[in-house]
Amino acid sequence: MTAPLTPPPPPHDQSAQFSSRAWPPSSPAGYGYGQDGPGMKTEVREAAVVTVVAALGGVLLGVLWNWLAPSVPLVGQVVDGGWVVYLGDTEGEQRIGVDGTFTLLALGFGAVSAAVVFLLRRRGGVPLVVALGVGGLLGALLAWRVGVWLGPSDDVLGRAKDVGQGVTFSAPLELGAKGALLAWPVGALLVHLGLTALFGPRDPEVPGYGAEKGSV
């Protein structure tokens, strides 16, 4: 009895099979390394719009700050022939309330702006995140200046003379803690980061890659 003369088939190239299964080529289904989301030019244009809109939102923040912030009482008196202006309530916390009101409003504006940007562009890139920070800072600066402009005059002695001795009047609107200007951009970045982590789109998983990798 003789062995067959037909040679055995060549061994199957397992490395080639694993390579073809583990890394599927790019396809319309979304696998591979195709471009994801809008192009960079589109993202830059959207970021510019976000920056401008956020900055203009500072006008509304300034109006609300001027409206909601507590007034700091001042009183004028004539001492030795000259006018002296002092606090009407030395133990009051109105000055702290002015800064606190601005900070809370700015945090609220930051949260709203981040939520709106996330809802409109869930797959936003780095330009949109930078636009939220820059636009928020510009909006806070504009709100500060608008609030001061809408508030009482900074001519304290002139107003004291106008109202008379011992009459209480409101001090100019001032932002004592300049760090409150960072409340809007920081709040916007944190809220956007949280929304992206919780509800942002996920990268598609490659089917069968984990099983093929574990079997080798």
Side-chain angles (χ1 to χ4, degrees), residues 16-24 206-210 212-213:
Q17 180 184 11
F18 170 73
S19 176
S20 62
R21 291 183 181 178
W23 304 103
V206 179
Y209 171 65
E212 291 290 344
K213 184 176 180 180

Side-chain angles (χ1 to χ4, degrees), residues 22-43:
W23 304 103
S26 300
S27 64
Y31 303 116
Y33 298 96
Q35 187 178 8
D36 188 14
M40 181 58 66
K41 291 184 179 180
T42 302
E43 290 189 359

Side-chain angles (χ1 to χ4, degrees), residues 65-72 93-99 101 173:
W65 180 44
N66 177 69
W67 180 39
L68 297 175
S71 60
V72 179
E93 298 181 353
Q94 291 87 350
R95 290 189 179 275
I96 299 176
V98 172
D99 295 344
T101 301
L173 190 63

Side-chain angles (χ1 to χ4, degrees), residues 56-114:
L56 293 179
V59 176
L60 178 58
L61 175 57
V63 173
L64 291 176
W65 180 44
N66 177 69
W67 180 39
L68 297 175
S71 60
V72 179
L74 298 179
V75 177
Q77 293 285 349
V78 177
V79 178
D80 297 333
W83 281 87
V84 176
V85 178
Y86 56 90
L87 286 174
D89 184 6
T90 56
E91 297 181 357
E93 298 181 353
Q94 291 87 350
R95 290 189 179 275
I96 299 176
V98 172
D99 295 344
T101 301
F102 186 93
T103 302
L104 292 177
L105 288 174
L107 287 174
F109 271 69
V112 171
S113 60

Side-chain angles (χ1 to χ4, degrees), residues 191-206:
V191 171
H192 190 272
L193 177 63
L195 292 175
T196 303
L198 293 175
F199 308 107
R202 301 292 188 269
D203 294 333
E205 296 182 358
V206 179

